[in-house]
């Protein structure tokens, strides 16, 4: 089970066309939608040695080997899911069936079907199953538009908490855009009661549409405390469609790493509010490099959509059709531009390299020579300082050797960083840096840093 501060896997329920529960509460919704919500049992066969020990010959416990035998043992897990078409396609969480050798789907009317796994996506924690030997049209539900869900909207969930099955709970949308540490997180938060075994179940709006797949709860106890997280249907729809068609997901890729736009950087770019994403690395040979995207470019729009922040940008790219030529709006050196980039396909092995950090010995006063700019002690790059601070071989500019703890640079700049540009102007000496900074005596100044080969842009005040 995935955890976030005791994160527990969840589940949510159905609803029909009502703006609010009527005099009958959610009974009509439950009656119409419950037949399509299923219980899922997954079994993994374990070798005898995996679960219990084999006692040595002559041991007083040797007789238990005969009792336990060598037959494989079964580890079971329970979860929830929902049928999305009459032939028996079922959506659930990947963690519900992860590693399973056998999967069964139980309908509310008591019928049980063996199921095969069509495809899984561990990144979003989604899976698609196909029920076997289905000879009649099955009840099913449809995905709705999760973008229309607003904070305060009624939602309901039906699932299999603690193996009880057929359990309905209701609540409201509490928040949107929640994160839990995943690359593409954009969860819907609700106060619907979700517990272990609800994982993979549907979250319904009052039109009876699935607007989320219940996946996690935030709880200090492991039981529901009113903070449940669901994968939005607009993410699930794309993933499910690809799993059905290809048996795997195919995500768009540009070949860039990005950093957030802080309030200070937003001010220096004269943005009305912090938004967008700053390109910190461009992978050679990737789509972004071919489109002439560069480190330091501030991405503000992609394929006609505003880039909210550095977390939403990778999600926008991932959801884009592979091969699409998309327009990308950027600000380069304070000048707005629009480029066209052909979206590539993200390889499953592609990962983002973590920025390297330097072990940073302190230079002597003679070495630093008191050259301080906005709380940063600077020194020229030479062979000795490159070796001492483990400077990336591609870095050129001026070395930062110390950062004053009381300065605005503290926490933004590290010893071992190399200042390559100031206000988008290349610098090669401390005098170059002073000349630019002295021209902006009271305002923030943007420093472009090379940190272990990774581009970092920081805005530093006096």
């Amino acid at each position: 089970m995935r955890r976030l501060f005791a994160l527990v896997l969840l589940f949510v329920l159905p609803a029909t066309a009502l703006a609010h529960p009527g005099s009958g509460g959610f009974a009509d919704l439950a009656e119409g939608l419950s037949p399509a919500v299923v219980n899922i049992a997954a079994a993994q066969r374990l070798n005898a040695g995996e679960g219990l020990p084999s006692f040595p010959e002559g041991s007083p416990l040797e007789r238990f080997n005969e009792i336990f035998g060598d037959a494989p043992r079964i580890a079971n897990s329970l979860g929830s899911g929902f049928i999305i078409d009459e032939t028996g396609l079922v959506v659930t969480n990947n963690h519900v069936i992860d590693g399973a050798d056998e999967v069964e789907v139980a309908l509310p009317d008591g019928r049980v079907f063996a199921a095969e796994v069509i495809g899984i996506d561990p990144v979003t924690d989604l899976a698609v199953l196909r029920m076997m030997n289905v000879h009649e049209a099955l009840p099913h539900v449809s995905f709705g538009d999760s973008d229309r869900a607003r904070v305060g909207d009624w939602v309901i969930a039906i699932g299999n908490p603690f193996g009880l099955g057929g359990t309905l709970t209701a609540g409201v949308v509490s928040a949107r855009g929640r994160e839990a540490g995943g690359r593409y997180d954009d969860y819907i938060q609700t106060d619907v009661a979700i517990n272990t075994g609800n994982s993979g179940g549907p979250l319904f709006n009052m039109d009876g549409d699935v607007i989320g797949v219940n996946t996690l709860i935030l709880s200090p106890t492991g039981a529901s405390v009113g903070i449940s997280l669901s994968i939005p249907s607009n993410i699930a729809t794309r993933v499910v469609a690809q799993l059905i068609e290809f048996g795997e997901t195919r995500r768009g890729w540009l070949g860039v790493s990005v950093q957030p736009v802080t309030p200070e950087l937003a001010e220096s770019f004269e943005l009305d509010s912090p938004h967008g994403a700053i390109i910190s690395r461009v992978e050679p040979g990737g789509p972004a490099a071919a489109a002439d995207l560069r480190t330091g470019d501030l991405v503000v729009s992609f394929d006609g959509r505003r880039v909210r922040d550095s977390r939403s940008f990778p999600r926008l790219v991932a959801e884009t059709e592979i091969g699409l030529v998309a327009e990308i709006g950027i600000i380069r050196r304070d000048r707005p531009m629009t480029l066209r980039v052909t979206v590539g396909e993200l390889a499953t092995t592609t990962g983002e390299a973590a920025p390297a950090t330097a072990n940073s010995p302190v230079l002597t006063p003679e070495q630093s020579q008191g050259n301080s700019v906005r709380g940063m002690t600077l020194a020229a790059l030479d062979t000795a300082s490159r070796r001492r601070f483990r400077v990336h071989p591609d870095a050129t500019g001026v070395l930062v050797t110390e950062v004053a703890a009381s300065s605005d640079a503290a926490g933004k700049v590290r010893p071992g960083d190399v200042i390559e540009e100031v206000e988008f102007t290349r610098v090669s000496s401390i005098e170059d840096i002073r000349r630019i900074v002295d021209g902006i005596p009271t305002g923030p100044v943007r420093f472009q840093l090379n940190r272990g080969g990774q581009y970092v842009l920081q805005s530093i005040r006096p």
Side-chain angles (χ1 to χ4, degrees), residues 282-319:
V282 178
E283 185 168 326
D292 194 34
L293 284 165
R294 304 175 187 174
T295 56
D297 288 347
L298 170 59
V299 180
V300 293
S301 66
F302 180 76
D303 193 27
R305 292 172 288 181
R306 186 175 187 261
V307 175
R308 189 173 70 242
D309 51 39
S310 60
R311 288 194 59 84
S312 65
F313 178 53
R315 189 163 56 245
L316 287 176
V317 174
E319 295 172 353

Side-chain angles (χ1 to χ4, degrees), residues 69-329:
D70 295 326
R73 296 170 176 80
I74 302 296
N76 294 304
S77 66
L78 298 175
S80 305
F82 53 99
I83 305 172
I84 59 172
D85 83 341
E86 64 180 17
T87 66
L89 285 175
V90 175
V91 174
T92 186
N93 282 145
N94 173 59
H95 73 257
V96 171
I97 54 87
D98 186 29
D101 299 306
E102 301 173 3
V103 179
E104 289 185 337
V105 173
L107 273 59
D109 61 13
R111 289 180 293 169
V112 178
F113 295 81
E116 64 173 338
V117 178
I118 298 299
I120 63 172
D121 181 34
V123 174
T124 57
D125 196 20
L126 289 168
V128 177
L129 315 176
R130 184 183 297 280
M131 298 165 60
M132 309 296 290
N133 300 316
V134 174
H135 303 298
E136 61 183 89
L138 295 174
H140 57 282
V141 292
S142 301
F143 283 111
D145 183 358
S146 57
D147 287 346
R148 297 179 61 186
R150 300 181 302 164
V151 173
D153 282 351
W154 281 102
V155 286
I156 61 172
I158 301 170
N160 186 27
F162 303 112
L164 295 174
T167 299
L168 182 149
T169 50
V172 298
V173 174
S174 304
R176 299 293 311 271
R178 291 300 194 209
E179 300 172 2
R183 188 186 306 173
Y184 304 119
D185 289 354
D186 189 26
Y187 291 114
I188 299 172
Q189 179 187 331
T190 74
D191 66 351
V192 177
I194 299 298
N195 287 286
T196 300
N198 281 122
S199 293
L203 179 70
F204 289 98
N205 63 15
M206 300 310 290
D207 292 323
D209 297 324
V210 179
I211 62 166
V213 181
N214 302 304
T215 301
L216 301 170
I217 62 174
L218 178 60
S219 170
T221 64
S224 175
V225 293
I227 303 179
S228 305
L229 302 180
S230 305
I231 303 165
S233 60
N234 286 0
I235 290 179
T237 302
R238 297 184 182 93
V239 173
V240 167
Q242 291 186 349
L243 293 179
I244 293 172
E245 183 175 359
F246 307 114
E248 62 182 5
T249 51
R250 298 183 178 183
R251 293 187 168 90
W253 171 69
L254 292 186
V256 297
S257 299
V258 293
Q259 73 172 81
V261 178
T262 63
E264 294 92 342
L265 284 172
E267 180 183 349
S268 66
F269 277 102
E270 298 184 349
L271 301 178
D272 55 357
S273 63
H275 66 274
I278 296 171
I279 295 179
S280 59
R281 180 177 177 273
V282 178
E283 185 168 326
D292 194 34
L293 284 165
R294 304 175 187 174
T295 56
D297 288 347
L298 170 59
V299 180
V300 293
S301 66
F302 180 76
D303 193 27
R305 292 172 288 181
R306 186 175 187 261
V307 175
R308 189 173 70 242
D309 51 39
S310 60
R311 288 194 59 84
S312 65
F313 178 53
R315 189 163 56 245
L316 287 176
V317 174
E319 295 172 353
T320 304
E321 178 186 353
I322 296 167
L324 176 74
V325 179
E327 290 191 343
I328 182 167

